[in-house]
Amino acid sequence: MASKAKDVEPKPSVTHSEGHLARPSFCRIRNVPWRTLENEVEAWDNLARTASEPNPFFESWYLLPSLRNMPETETIEVLRFERDGELAGILPVARSSRYYRWPVPHLTNWLHANTFCGVPLVARGCEVPFWQAVLDWADEAPGAALFLHLRRIVLGGPMHTALEGLGACVGRRIEIVHQEARAMLASSLSSQAYLEASLPGKKRKELRRQAKRLADQGDVRFERRTDADEVDDWCSRFLALEAAGWKGAAGSSLASDESTTRLFRESLAGAAGRGKLERLTLWLDDRPLAMLATFLTPPGAFSYKTAFDETFARFSPGVLLQRENLAVLDRPEIAWSDSCAAADHPMIDHLWRERRAVGSLSVAIGGTLRRSLFNCLVKSELSRSTARR
């Protein structure tokens, strides 16, 4: 994929404070080899602090370890958007020859199995210019791609809203071809009040009984840490705990593959070094029974990975840990937390009552013939989806 620059100059806008025309911003987008961004970590971290919509999975400390450790990333490139010479947008992209089970070439945002959000990282106020630049680039350099496919987009969020609005203005077809609702924590209630509203009294009583029975086994304590000390040791304990359970038996634990082991260690160390990691542990004496790694990206948080000791399942250590995790509601800088769990999760869906809509979007690109073929594909896909309901 040859590197190509595209300059975009939005129309001047009127400032609210002084009522005169603001200076037009100079914007451009380039697709660059991902390794070039290893030299822009400081600017990348600054971008994350001003992002319209938080996405830890596209921040430097997660995306770079992903690209370094996941297989077949040599051809992955990054759409690098800048405004007035400053980095203002990041989106990793791939060219795929298959659209799920069909041999249909397309452009897509690059994700892997442990990336739970695909929203581009874009500076606040740049949402529309970013999408305009992305779509112009896709129109002019589509290659064999029939359309642009964006996965794990937060529906109704600032970036999705900006894209939909732009599509409506210019007559570009954008379709939600898949969507699901996953558990989310978002409430003005205290952690205790939320627990009482979420679980019936009988279930809360059962949890208290299990906690009391567990305390009979030894010294029980919860530990919550946001510092960067002993992160590697915590990672080792987590990897061992997860591998000892059903994921280890199925070969799907993080420790089952060296690439995901390295990704886990490197990303948690990077997050902790920036004050963006919370480690919550339920201990029985010196033995971890349940562990949770959460990425803190104000105003939101993302529950990245959790594991529990299945030999203590009768005490529900995972649920006891999640009960303690409700304290994230008491953090003034955190307004919501994304579970990163599959829809209809048997445990977290009963405790976290809010839902976050996440979906896949297909976007028309290129000229008349390409868009005509895209319309036929989308029509067929949507009719199959409707028939399955």
Side-chain angles (χ1 to χ4, degrees):
M1 185 161 52
S3 181
K4 181 179 178 67
K6 176 67 181 179
D7 296 339
V8 181
E9 294 191 39
K11 294 179 181 179
S13 59
V14 177
T15 64
H16 294 286
S17 56
E18 300 179 23
H20 58 73
L21 291 180
R23 177 180 61 84
S25 297
F26 175 76
C27 301
R28 72 170 180 172
I29 197 164
R30 293 179 294 153
N31 57 313
V32 300
W34 64 264
R35 289 192 179 277
T36 65
L37 293 173
E38 293 181 314
N39 300 318
E40 293 194 82
V41 169
E42 184 177 357
W44 196 343
D45 290 349
N46 287 335
L47 167 61
R49 284 189 282 271
T50 63
S52 170
E53 196 167 339
N55 182 2
F57 305 103
F58 285 170
E59 290 198 37
S60 65
W61 48 265
Y62 193 89
L63 185 55
L64 283 176
S66 295
L67 289 163
R68 290 176 187 139
N69 292 300
M70 294 297 101
E72 301 178 357
T73 62
E74 296 83 3
T75 60
I76 304 304
E77 300 203 44
V78 174
L79 293 182
R80 182 193 183 281
F81 177 76
E82 63 180 54
R83 177 180 60 180
D84 294 335
E86 294 188 359
L87 183 65
I90 292 271
L91 178 64
V93 293
R95 291 180 182 269
S96 177
S97 61
R98 297 194 65 83
Y99 179 63
Y100 301 102
R101 57 191 176 91
W102 299 296
V104 179
H106 63 286
L107 290 164
T108 183
N109 51 344
W110 181 76
L111 311 174
H112 57 80
N114 291 297
T115 300
F116 302 107
C117 183
V119 175
L121 201 64
V122 177
R124 190 177 301 108
C126 287
E127 299 90 345
V128 172
F130 170 82
W131 284 126
Q132 183 64 69
V134 168
L135 297 178
D136 286 351
W137 168 82
D139 285 345
E140 295 185 14
L146 181 60
F147 62 98
L148 171 64
H149 188 57
L150 300 168
R151 297 171 291 156
R152 297 180 186 171
I153 301 297
V154 178
L155 303 181
M159 292 305 298
H160 174 231
T161 300
L163 179 59
E164 289 281 4
L166 178 61
C169 284
V170 300
R172 184 185 297 266
R173 187 170 186 181
I174 301 169
E175 291 287 352
I176 300 172
V177 294
H178 171 77
Q179 62 179 306
E180 62 183 33
R182 65 191 187 200
M184 181 183 186
L185 185 62
S187 175
S188 59
L189 295 175
S190 68
S191 55
Q192 182 58 38
Y194 190 91
L195 180 68
E196 293 174 359
S198 295
L199 297 181
K202 184 177 180 180
K203 180 59 179 177
R204 297 199 306 275
K205 182 178 179 180
E206 174 63 13
L207 283 176
R208 290 194 296 269
R209 185 184 68 82
Q210 289 174 314
K212 185 175 184 301
R213 287 176 55 209
L214 182 59
D216 292 338
Q217 308 297 310
D219 179 32
V220 174
R221 61 189 173 89
F222 291 95
E223 181 182 48
R224 188 187 306 274
R225 298 184 64 169
T226 56
D227 63 292
D229 295 336
E230 302 175 322
V231 170
D232 195 58
D233 177 67
W234 193 91
C235 288
S236 295
R237 289 178 178 271
F238 183 98
L239 291 166
L241 183 62
E242 186 188 52
W246 68 268
K247 286 187 177 181
S252 61
S253 70
L254 291 165
S256 297
D257 190 286
E258 185 60 31
S259 64
T260 50
T261 298
R262 290 195 300 265
L263 167 62
F264 185 70
R265 289 185 182 278
E266 292 175 22
S267 62
L268 262 62
R274 292 164 174 81
K276 292 193 169 189
L277 175 67
E278 180 181 271
R279 293 166 282 154
L280 182 60
T281 309
L282 167 59
W283 294 91
L284 176 63
D285 297 325
D286 61 351
R287 177 176 182 171
L289 296 190
M291 307 176 78
L292 171 66
T294 298
F295 294 146
L296 303 174
T297 54
F302 292 77
S303 293
Y304 178 48
K305 290 290 179 180
T306 188
F308 70 93
D309 191 328
E310 294 174 15
T311 64
F312 282 78
R314 65 189 183 279
F315 301 107
S316 298
V319 181
L320 292 175
L321 190 76
Q322 285 296 343
R323 183 182 67 174
E324 187 72 13
N325 187 44
L326 290 176
V328 73
L329 288 171
D330 302 326
R331 283 182 170 272
E333 78 278 17
I334 300 298
W336 51 264
S337 187
D338 187 332
S339 68
C340 297
D344 302 318
H345 191 278
M347 186 271 285
I348 200 67
D349 274 31
H350 293 291
L351 186 57
W352 290 16
R353 296 176 298 141
E354 293 74 42
R355 297 294 178 264
R356 192 175 213 200
V358 178
S360 296
L361 311 176
S362 288
V363 184
I365 62 173
T368 303
L369 178 59
R370 199 179 301 261
R371 295 195 187 198
S372 178
L373 292 172
F374 170 71
N375 287 337
C376 293
L377 176 69
V378 167
K379 181 179 179 180
S380 175
E381 185 173 12
L382 292 177
S383 39
R384 274 193 303 270
S385 176
T386 302
R388 285 195 295 267
R389 292 180 187 145

